[in-house]
Amino acid sequence: MTTAKERTYSDEEIKAACCANLPHWGTGGRGGFAQVRTHSWKGTLMVINAVVHLAEAAWHHPDITRSYAWVEVRLQNHAAKGHYGQRFELAKKIEDVVHGAG
């Protein structure tokens, strides 16, 4: 079974989407990323757990880098070497949960 290759977005398109809908996200490399500041190691682990839960439910596997008081989440399609539509949906869910939008 073959599937149609999903459209990937340029850095300019990602930047426009981030500015419009994802204020805590930026671009870099081959996809979008967000860096979340936390107040403690426990807060960092809570953010990671929330991101992992949302990503797993969406069948995505983001790159996560962390330190004591920050977490960086990178969303990209490793196979296509870029960012595609469903990643924007996941980024919005992460944005809403981590930054308390409602």
Side-chain angles (χ1 to χ4, degrees):
M1 175 197 304
T2 59
T3 58
K5 183 178 176 183
E6 191 156 6
R7 177 184 180 280
T8 58
Y9 292 81
S10 69
D11 281 344
E12 294 77 28
E13 290 171 311
I14 296 169
K15 191 176 290 187
C18 289
C19 288
N21 303 311
L22 303 165
H24 296 96
W25 290 76
T27 61
R30 295 180 311 228
F33 72 91
Q35 192 172 78
V36 179
R37 295 267 177 219
T38 64
H39 298 288
S40 66
W41 178 242
K42 184 177 179 181
T44 296
L45 294 177
M46 291 172 69
V47 168
I48 291 170
N49 284 333
V51 169
V52 167
H53 175 75
L54 293 169
E56 190 64 25
W59 201 251
H60 293 297
H61 306 97
D63 294 330
I64 300 174
T65 306
R66 53 96 187 118
S67 188
Y68 176 79
W70 59 264
V71 178
E72 183 176 280
V73 179
R74 288 191 172 274
L75 299 175
Q76 68 180 1
N77 178 337
H78 295 281
K81 308 279 191 273
H83 197 83
Y84 62 94
Q86 290 178 337
R87 293 288 204 261
F88 291 119
E89 295 169 19
L90 176 57
K92 181 62 176 154
K93 287 178 184 176
I94 292 170
E95 175 91 6
D96 290 349
V97 168
V98 171
H99 293 287

